[in-house]
Amino acid sequence: MGVNIGDFLKPSPYFADTFRFFLKRFSSQQSLFNWFIKQAGDFTAPFEFPEILKDHPKTLVFLPREMERCTAFLHAMPDAWFKNVHFFAHESLHALISAKRSHAFYYSDRECRFGEAVFNELQDKIQTYTPEVCIYLGDKFLPRLFLAKTSGAACRIGFDVSDVYPFLNISLQKNESSEAALIAKYYGVSK
């Protein structure tokens, strides 16, 4: 099996295009996971689950990239849930989030890479927002998981994500309920 030199010339999905991160292109997924954990730190403030969700705490929601999945989740959530919620979303979801009269931190694919100036700005904005809870939907993408961990939220919820601890520290199992139904139940809101 030969090495395709073109693969090394493509932009990294995780890192800015700088020499500092060039060698990371050759790292294994486990090595990258460990590196991002080391950068994020492994401390988490104590909290009580599910009590932390009862009074609609300041919540940051990392939306999935897929329009259909994001639309299904947002339309399934009761209007009362959107109180105190801020989203982290791909720029392609702007119209959908605006239709819900919600606020978001938007990113593009090139901007959501560790080491990019915009990535650092997004991290600062998230930390300034000071969420108490973080809900992570979508694929397990290391730079976004890093942002969830460094958000300052003690409670970081995902679905079927026990393999990405400590980025996310609560792993809910969907079973027969949807993500939206489980979140609505824990927040004590209904359609």
Side-chain angles (χ1 to χ4, degrees), residues 17-32:
D17 295 330
T18 64
F19 183 72
R20 175 180 172 205
F21 300 116
F22 181 76
L23 293 179
K24 294 279 180 223
R25 293 171 185 242
F26 305 100
S27 299
S28 69
Q29 196 63 26
Q30 185 61 49
S31 175
L32 290 171

Side-chain angles (χ1 to χ4, degrees), residues 15-174:
F15 298 100
D17 295 330
T18 64
F19 183 72
R20 175 180 172 205
F21 300 116
F22 181 76
L23 293 179
K24 294 279 180 223
R25 293 171 185 242
F26 305 100
S27 299
S28 69
Q29 196 63 26
Q30 185 61 49
S31 175
L32 290 171
F33 182 91
N34 294 339
W35 186 87
F36 273 99
I37 285 293
K38 183 177 179 185
Q39 302 309 304
D42 57 5
F43 173 77
T44 296
F47 64 93
E48 290 190 32
F49 184 83
E51 291 77 16
I52 192 170
L53 305 179
K54 292 298 181 200
D55 295 321
H56 294 274
K58 203 186 259 193
T59 303
L60 178 66
V61 180
F62 284 75
L63 290 173
R65 277 264 290 97
E66 305 84 18
M67 178 67 79
E68 302 80 26
R69 192 166 164 214
C70 186
T71 302
F73 177 81
L74 291 177
H75 289 329
M77 292 307 294
D79 290 339
W81 178 76
F82 289 90
K83 175 182 128 183
N84 249 356
V85 171
H86 208 96
F87 296 101
F88 185 82
H90 189 267
E91 62 190 2
S92 64
L93 302 172
H94 191 277
L96 179 62
I97 293 168
S98 293
K100 289 292 184 181
R101 298 189 175 158
S102 294
H103 301 283
F105 302 115
Y106 293 102
Y107 67 90
S108 71
D109 293 328
R110 297 279 300 203
E111 294 169 341
C112 197
R113 300 184 308 163
F114 192 92
E116 293 286 352
V118 175
F119 183 85
N120 297 335
E121 290 171 20
L122 287 168
Q123 183 179 13
D124 289 343
K125 287 179 182 177
I126 288 169
Q127 290 171 342
T128 300
Y129 176 65
T130 62
E132 296 170 67
V133 174
C134 179
I135 299 171
Y136 190 95
L137 307 170
D139 64 327
K140 301 169 189 172
F141 187 71
L142 288 172
R144 288 192 297 271
L145 287 167
F146 170 86
L147 290 173
K149 173 69 174 85
T150 61
S151 69
C155 178
R156 298 177 307 278
I157 302 168
F159 292 86
D160 303 314
V161 291
S162 58
D163 59 331
V164 295
Y165 177 85
F167 290 117
L168 305 175
N169 54 10
I170 299 284
S171 181
L172 299 177
Q173 308 303 314
K174 286 185 279 194

